[in-house]
Each structure stands twice: as C-alpha cells, then as structure tokens.
Amino acid sequence: QVQLVQSGSELKKPGASVKVSCKASGYTFTSYAMNWVRQAPGQGLEWMGWINTNTGNPTYAQGFTGRFVFSLDTSVSTAYLQISSLKAEDTAVYYCARDSGGPTFDYWGQGTLVTVSS
Amino acid sequence: QSALTQPASVSGSPGQSITISCTGTSSDVGGYNYVSWYQQHPGKAPKLMIYDVSNRPSGVSNRFSGSKSGNTASLTISGLQAEDEADYSCCSYAGTNTWWMFGGGTKLTVL
C-alpha cells in the first residue's frame, strides 16, 4: 500500500536550518509529483510548491522562495524539504503529499512539526 | 494571491445535509475543473474526499459530493454522522504561475 512516512518533530533556534524527509513506498516514486504543504498552528493549509520527481525540478509558491529548498534522493524514494534561516513564523506542521494530477493530493505524510523558538 | 474563501464554520444535526462553499475567481475555481476537497480531523493529516470538482476516490462514502457553479465550488455532505465532524478545505488550480491554492478551511460541527 502507498505510504509516505515523514521524519520526526524538530525544535530549532531562530537562524538555524532544518531538513524534513518524506519516504515513499508502495508505488513508483518517479511516477508522481511530490508537493509540500504547510499548516501553521490553528491555521489552514498552505501550498508551498512541488517537485518533479523525474527531473528534480522544483516549483515554489509565492512566499516560499529563497529559504525553502525541495530536493530528492530517488535511490531511496525520498523527498526533502530544507528550510534555512528559520524564523518563529516558520513554526508549523509540514506535510508532503503525492499529486496524482490536478490538484489531487491523494496520499499524505503524517506531518512533521517544526518548532522555532529561542 | 489570497486564499479561496470558505465559511469559518458550519453545523448540522445527525442525518441532515450541509453544504460548504469555496469561492474564488475566474482565474482559479471558475477557470478550471480542478477543485479538490480535503477532510482533516484534529492532529491528523488531510484526506482527499473529492477531486476534479465532483469525483470521489475509491473508499470515500457517497454521502460526500462536489459541484461547481461559476467561481464557487461546493462540498455537500448528506446524512451527517458524528465522524464527519472535522475541518474541510478546498483546493483549486490557479494557472501556471500560482499553481494550487487552498481555501482557509471550514470547521464542521455535528450537533
């Protein structure tokens, strides 16, 4: 069965970096794009962007350029989200979500809570 | 670009039907038949309920249905059950510059 398993919660200080992983199983990793979605505490879902798992080409939503980087390691069917120069407002749950076309995010990771606090 | 507009909350009694709206513009909801809906229980990941405006994934109850008129998409839940109490979010394609856009989410309370 399809599964997306994300890395565990992170507590970081302002200015630090964090790398969240999303390991896929149960399907051919390169057949589906991978998206990243942010949910700040008590807030709605916010689409961050997606990465083409065939080419590795990322697309970032407005507001997620510069400090946010999507990457892949196709040898282990894993997508990564790296955030640098962390700020308190980056505190959120970050989800990876498989895209079967359109927006059809049919499978989601369990979410990774990133807390930024001094 | 602003998020799609959803009511903050809706409520209904068991057995009733409710509808959640998702209002955008001709550049997103109104321009494409690419609207999806997600259910999210507290502390859990979202779950796909409707895709391409009105299609249900395998395993999703036929009590859930989607539609669109102009710039507004709607999710209707019939025969409300206690387990339907959750947050619901819409998502629409918004063109190749913006790609995907979520609504602000609606909290459904089953009375």
Side-chain angles (χ1 to χ4, degrees):
Chain A
Q1 74 282 22
V2 174
Q3 281 193 308
L4 300 178
V5 179
Q6 298 184 223
S7 49
S9 298
E10 301 268 9
L11 174 60
K12 296 291 185 180
K13 294 188 183 303
S17 295
V18 69
K19 193 170 187 177
V20 176
S21 66
C22 170
K23 183 170 176 59
S25 62
Y27 71 98
T28 301
F29 182 68
T30 52
S31 294
Y32 297 83
M34 192 66 76
N35 290 253
W36 290 94
V37 176
R38 181 171 78 177
Q39 188 168 38
Q43 302 300 308
L45 302 170
E46 189 174 14
W47 182 72
M48 299 174 65
W50 66 284
I51 185 165
N52 184 317
T53 53
N54 264 311
T55 65
N57 183 49
T59 298
Y60 300 98
Q62 291 179 13
F64 293 100
T65 55
R67 298 188 301 114
F68 300 83
V69 176
F70 307 148
S71 61
L72 303 170
D73 184 343
T74 55
S75 68
V76 289
S77 300
T78 301
Y80 300 94
L81 163 66
Q82 183 161 0
I83 312 171
S84 59
S85 303
L86 282 163
K87 307 174 183 181
E89 51 263 42
D90 294 323
T91 294
V93 176
Y94 293 84
Y95 293 100
C96 59
R98 190 182 85 161
D99 183 356
S100 64
T104 303
F105 306 132
D106 58 351
Y107 288 92
W108 294 66
Q110 82 275 20
T112 296
L113 173 62
V114 175
T115 303
V116 184
S117 174
S118 54
Chain B
Q1 195 158 351
S2 301
L4 305 174
T5 301
Q6 298 182 232
S9 63
V10 298
S11 62
S13 298
Q16 289 185 332
S17 295
I18 63 94
T19 297
I20 299 171
S21 61
C22 170
T23 301
T25 69
S26 58
S27 296
D28 38 69
V29 174
Y32 311 93
N33 287 323
Y34 292 134
V35 177
S36 52
W37 288 90
Y38 300 87
Q39 176 192 66
Q40 188 178 24
H41 287 106
K44 300 295 187 182
K47 175 187 176 183
L48 176 67
M49 304 303 285
I50 296 288
Y51 66 97
D52 293 351
V53 175
S54 60
N55 293 305
R56 260 188 324 274
S58 174
V60 172
S61 171
N62 60 9
R63 297 186 298 106
F64 291 83
S65 61
S67 63
K68 191 185 83 166
S69 177
N71 297 335
T72 298
S74 298
L75 173 71
T76 298
I77 309 174
S78 60
L80 268 180
Q81 299 179 1
E83 63 258 35
D84 299 333
E85 185 163 292
D87 291 328
Y88 292 86
S89 297
C90 61
C91 185
S92 174
Y93 180 63
T96 54
N97 285 331
T98 306
W99 289 93
W100 316 130
M101 178 183 298
F102 280 99
T106 297
K107 180 176 179 56
L108 168 63
T109 301
V110 180
L111 303 170

